[in-house]
Amino acid sequence: MIPFEYLRAGDPAEAVAAVAGRPGAAFLGGGTNLVDHMKLGVAGPDLLVDVSRLPLDRVEEIAGGLRIGAAVRNSDLAAHPLVRERYPVLARALLSGASGQLRNVATTAGNLLQRTRCPYFQDVTTPCNKRVPGSGCSAVGGYTRYHAILGASEHCVATHPSDMAVAMVALDAVVAVLGPGGARTLPLAELYRLPGDAPQRDTVLEHGDLITAVELPHLPFARRSAYRKVRDRASFSFALVSVAAALDLDGGLVRDVRLALGGVAHKPWRAARAEAELRGGPATEDAFRRAAEAELAAARPLPGNAFKVAMTRNAVVATLRALAEEGR
Ligand SMILES: Cc1cc2nc3c(=O)[nH]c(=O)nc-3n(C[C@H](O)[C@H](O)[C@H](O)COP(=O)(O)OP(=O)(O)OC[C@H]3O[C@@H](n4cnc5c(N)ncnc54)[C@H](O)[C@@H]3O)c2cc1C
């Protein structure tokens, strides 16, 4: 590990100024991803600005929704009574990730900004365009079981690893950011990028941009929502495929729906085509399958992950079917 300095920021403005003023500086949340990367040689910040103890650790009600501070720990968020009651999809997604010990430490912002688990990204002896732009993609033609089937590029086929982010994208979450130029908000779905020819950039954030909160809008039908994660082990394992869904039924019809997919793309994938297909139609298994297939028409699987297309379709159908049965 290379030497680095450590600063515990007193307030968000101080944290932003400290990182923005130094190209090699990075924010430190719980450190469960960044410190691993420092040990592996994947990241080498020369200054860590600790934002985990800023007064951004509250979950507050706002206009029927919730404002979640960036430093709220994953365990606390999953256990929060209003999250469990109003957004069960989020509680389930959080609890499906990592381990109890990790969730006790991991923060909301750090979870959103955790980096891909692509083995080539984490192995500094192999080429990786995300780690070293222009060096090549070892996954193309390599091990691709966990890689993207949607929205990838020839430069990068990595997937975004966060479970929590998939649920938040389905819930139309909005991210609050404090940057060197002031405060702004943006939809979480627009925070993330597809790899294109710049896979080193996971998000649209600039150096020095601090996430201060995530806002979940009022969405009454999210009380009937679910997260389904398909993985190689029952715990302590990242998603091969995951589905976050909320369903609003009007008799046997779908009045409204929210659907997002994990493990399939460089970002949490909002399944807008499937949602459009479902709205106003029958809440039947056939309709759920057609909607999933419409979304997956754009899938371009790799030799090692063609199974993910059927797996995603089946996971979408199973999740929506369970929600529909719950509503009858
Ligand atoms: C063994 C293991 C298994 C795991 N399994 C899963 C899993 O199944 N599902 C899952 O979703 N996750 C899983 N994780 C990942 C875990 O959820 C993340 O490591 C954790 O959420 C990161 O949060 P953190 O606060 O520790 O982030 P950190 O490591 O502190 O930071 C991560 C990134 O976010 C940046 N950052 C932190 N706070 C801010 C802020 N406020 N504003 C701007 N940038 C910020 C940092 O600079 C860094 O780039 C696993 C991790 C491990 C080690």
Side-chain angles (χ1 to χ4, degrees), residues 75-96:
S75 294
D76 294 335
L77 187 57
H80 196 284
L82 291 179
V83 173
R84 290 165 56 103
E85 183 188 316
R86 296 183 187 170
Y87 308 100
V89 61
L90 177 57
R92 301 304 311 173
L94 281 158
L95 292 174
S96 77

Side-chain angles (χ1 to χ4, degrees), residues 139-268:
V140 171
Y143 176 78
T144 51
R145 181 170 174 77
Y146 280 87
H147 292 72
I149 57 171
L150 289 162
S153 78
E154 61 185 302
H155 304 289
C156 182
V157 294
T159 49
H160 185 77
S162 168
D163 291 295
M164 181 192 79
V166 181
M168 286 183 169
V169 162
L171 293 169
D172 288 322
V174 170
V175 182
V177 176
L178 181 65
R184 65 187 193 278
T185 58
L186 74 164
L188 177 60
E190 292 173 20
L191 176 79
Y192 296 109
R193 298 179 66 255
L194 287 176
D197 59 5
Q200 69 275 16
R201 297 194 62 202
D202 294 348
T203 71
V204 300
L205 294 180
E206 300 292 344
H207 186 67
D209 278 345
L210 176 76
I211 294 183
T212 53
V214 177
E215 294 178 1
L216 300 181
H218 183 53
L219 190 68
F221 74 85
R223 285 170 192 261
R224 185 183 302 148
S225 62
Y227 189 74
R228 182 176 291 252
K229 177 171 174 178
V230 186
R231 49 188 157 172
D232 281 327
R233 280 195 309 257
S235 78
F236 216 49
S237 186
F238 288 86
L240 283 163
V241 161
S242 70
V243 178
L247 190 61
D248 186 17
L249 293 180
D250 178 10
L253 295 180
V254 176
R255 188 187 294 125
D256 206 353
V257 60
R258 298 285 184 279
L259 197 60
L261 307 174
V264 295
H266 192 257
K267 61 180 187 177

